[in-house]
Amino acid sequence: MAHKIAVIGGDGIGPEVVAEALKVVRAAGVELETTDFDLGGARYLRDGTVLPDDLLAELREFDAILLGAVGTPEVPPGVIERGLLLKMRFELDQFVNLRPFTRPEAGIDFTVVRENTEGTYAGEGGFLRKGTPHEIATQGSVNTRRGVERCVRFAFELAASRPRKHLTLVHKTNVLTFAGDLWQRTFDEVAAEFAEVTTAYNHVDAACIYFVQDPQRYDVIVTDNLFGDILTDLGGAVSGGIGFAASANLDPTRQAPSMFEPVHGSAPDIAGQAKANPIAAILSAAMMLDLLGEDAAAERIRKACAASSNLNAPTPEIGDAVAARL
């Protein structure tokens, strides 16, 4: 039976890279039933639509969501990010953001588990006396025991399934003494259930140094929403470039569809020129296949991507080359 996939091509290079991802998935022999959703910056500029509740209800009926990239320079920052991306993550309770980074020739193979529905992105805060010389802005970090524990537990389970069986908590416990304390205590308590997993702790600033100087030390990392957002962009840079960075926004309970997207943005400056590297989108689609139980096809796609060499070719030619290896 075909998997029902909601496709949001989005803006800029998004539709181009998603087209290649779908091409490769089908070349791997996986049957998809896709439905396109016109969402993103261009749609917002056309009629003011971001993600109304009726469309969100439609998305709930799919097995997974594949997204290219969203955002245009003409739309004010935050409108699409909060109204579309964060709304999907929060409303569909995609509480784990999973981002793997591999660069075999450099010995890099680690995965970041980022809490995806709390922290500073939860929207707690506000203004006092806005627009005056005495303006005050607050932006709180929301951390619940339930939210932290389910993310930490997912990370331990993932680490236990990998050969190195190692998990590093990244936070800033010496300064963020409330949120950091909750994360550290929860991490330590869950660790007692996973004797086979060795653990470590890094302050986030130290982790940034290690990402650059010694990324091979890492196996699985678990961290909060904001730190994870920043670290994973750096992870893309040290593992070959942001054009190779895939991600999954997961509801591990399977009560709602998970969303898969490349880490890169919409790159409007090269849209329509066939200059975009589609590998990140293809690898995101492979992560989608893992969720759908198509593990063998997903692994074949990853190997085909790893064998890609001419990444300066036009976007469709890169997709064709990956598909041909399948």
Side-chain angles (χ1 to χ4, degrees), residues 41-239:
R43 174 71 184 274
Y44 174 78
L45 290 171
R46 192 165 67 247
D47 63 14
T49 296
V50 181
L51 180 60
D53 290 342
D54 58 336
L55 279 182
L56 182 63
E58 287 186 46
L59 290 173
R60 287 184 180 276
E61 302 305 313
F62 288 84
D63 298 323
I65 303 164
L66 183 63
L67 183 145
V70 292
T72 61
E74 299 83 5
V75 178
V79 172
I80 303 302
E81 293 87 347
R82 293 204 63 84
L84 176 59
L85 297 179
L86 294 190
K87 184 173 181 178
M88 276 199 287
R89 292 174 184 175
F90 293 167
E91 294 294 328
L92 300 178
D93 203 21
Q94 297 166 344
F95 63 87
V96 165
N97 183 272
L98 188 66
R99 297 188 179 184
F101 301 98
T102 59
R103 191 176 178 183
E105 73 279 9
I108 296 173
D109 181 10
F110 67 89
T111 297
V112 177
V113 178
R114 165 189 169 194
E115 199 290 316
N116 211 31
T117 59
E118 295 188 348
T120 50
Y121 291 6
E124 191 275 329
F127 290 102
L128 292 174
R129 297 188 286 276
K130 186 176 182 181
T132 76
H134 304 288
E135 181 172 346
I136 299 170
T138 63
Q139 191 81 57
S141 178
V142 177
N143 301 265
T144 69
R145 172 64 193 226
R146 174 177 177 269
V148 172
E149 181 174 345
R150 64 184 184 174
C151 179
V152 166
R153 189 170 296 279
F154 179 93
F156 269 103
E157 291 171 352
L158 177 62
S161 72
R162 291 166 61 94
R164 289 176 62 186
K165 302 185 187 305
H166 188 271
L167 178 62
T168 303
L169 170 64
V170 172
H171 211 282
K172 190 68 174 173
T173 55
N174 59 335
V175 176
L176 303 179
T177 53
F178 304 120
D181 182 71
L182 174 58
W183 273 86
Q184 185 70 70
R185 282 187 291 108
T186 304
F187 184 87
D188 293 343
E189 290 170 22
V190 176
E193 303 176 31
F194 292 86
E196 73 276 28
V197 177
T198 57
T199 62
Y201 170 81
N202 291 159
H203 290 325
V204 65
D205 43 352
C208 289
I209 296 172
Y210 297 144
F211 265 44
V212 175
Q213 295 183 345
D214 185 24
Q216 297 83 359
R217 71 168 54 208
Y218 292 116
D219 182 20
V220 180
I221 294 166
V222 64
T223 190
D224 84 344
N225 208 336
L226 178 60
F227 294 150
D229 193 3
I230 297 167
L231 280 175
T232 51
D233 281 358
L234 182 56
V238 302
S239 61

